[in-house]
Amino acid sequence: RSTWRSAWILPIAVMLPALAFRPFQGLFTSLSTFSTDMHYNGSVHVLLGHTLGSFPLASTLCAALLLCWLGCVLGMTRRPIEAGALVMSGLLLLAPTIHFWYLTWVIPFLCFYPLRPMLIWCATIALLFQTQGTMLQTGEWKQYPWLVLLEYLPVYGALIYVAFTKRFVPAPVADDAPRQTL
């Protein structure tokens, strides 16, 4: 990021692995299907899909929102760990499907930037286990909308709070212990 002279490396780093999957074109079809036709425990994507009556349109809008969020993050910070925490949080909040292990993508960043909404989500996502419990007991995959609401209300409440108090990104965690010399 420090110079535009090395910016050409990023497209190559993205394209080379993609070319390796060229013989397996179904991979990209499955990713498209996953993002447009399947949804479970998402928040913004599911709300947009039901409101608009089109989950493919919701996927397109969420992708556009994510790109806008990336631009906002680039304007807010130049610190890579902070940017990673914010970008990953946005990606997860806009994703069509969220399983509990998806939050492991943001947890390492929370060690350095403890974003309150994400910390709350790490706790409330435990409500999701009711669906897995029902699946194990009855064999039926059943999502409980009221539990999803209980999962996300505290998260979005915290997002609104930090947005209005302008405390969106907390200060980095620092070691405040006094230094001892030997």
Side-chain angles (χ1 to χ4, degrees):
R1 278 186 7 186
S2 63
T3 178
W4 284 101
R5 284 182 279 168
S6 59
W8 61 271
I9 296 171
L10 179 63
I12 291 174
V14 170
M15 294 307 294
L16 283 178
L19 288 175
F21 286 100
R22 179 81 174 127
F24 310 105
Q25 292 178 358
L27 173 72
F28 297 107
T29 305
S30 66
L31 289 174
S32 172
T33 301
F34 180 76
S35 70
T36 57
D37 297 337
M38 299 179 178
H39 47 87
Y40 169 69
N41 195 42
S43 63
V44 174
H45 184 274
V46 173
L47 288 175
L48 283 173
H50 285 298
T51 303
L52 301 171
S54 169
F55 284 96
L57 179 57
S59 294
T60 302
L61 286 175
C62 283
L65 287 170
L66 183 59
L67 286 175
C68 290
W69 178 240
L70 289 172
C72 290
V73 169
L74 285 175
M76 289 185 340
T77 184
R78 293 286 181 222
R79 296 187 294 251
I81 295 175
E82 181 181 13
L86 293 170
V87 168
M88 194 53 62
S89 299
L91 173 69
L92 290 171
L93 289 169
L94 293 169
T97 299
I98 294 293
H99 294 286
F100 68 92
W101 61 85
Y102 288 18
L103 291 184
T104 61
W105 300 343
V106 77
I107 289 172
F109 297 110
L110 297 179
C111 296
F112 301 100
Y113 290 94
L115 303 172
R116 186 173 291 137
M118 296 297 106
L119 291 170
I120 291 170
W121 196 8
C122 287
T124 60
I125 199 154
L127 295 168
L128 183 68
F129 287 115
Q130 181 62 41
T131 299
Q132 277 84 12
T134 301
M135 177 69 174
L136 288 172
Q137 290 179 350
T138 66
E140 178 186 1
W141 184 260
K142 181 178 179 186
Q143 188 171 2
Y144 298 91
W146 60 277
L147 285 176
V148 174
L149 189 64
L150 285 176
E151 175 187 350
Y152 282 108
L153 276 178
V155 174
Y156 283 100
L159 276 171
I160 291 167
Y161 172 78
V162 297
F164 282 113
T165 59
K166 299 195 185 332
R167 294 178 156 189
F168 201 70
V169 178
V173 175
D175 183 10
D176 292 333
R179 304 281 184 236
Q180 294 182 0
T181 57
L182 296 175

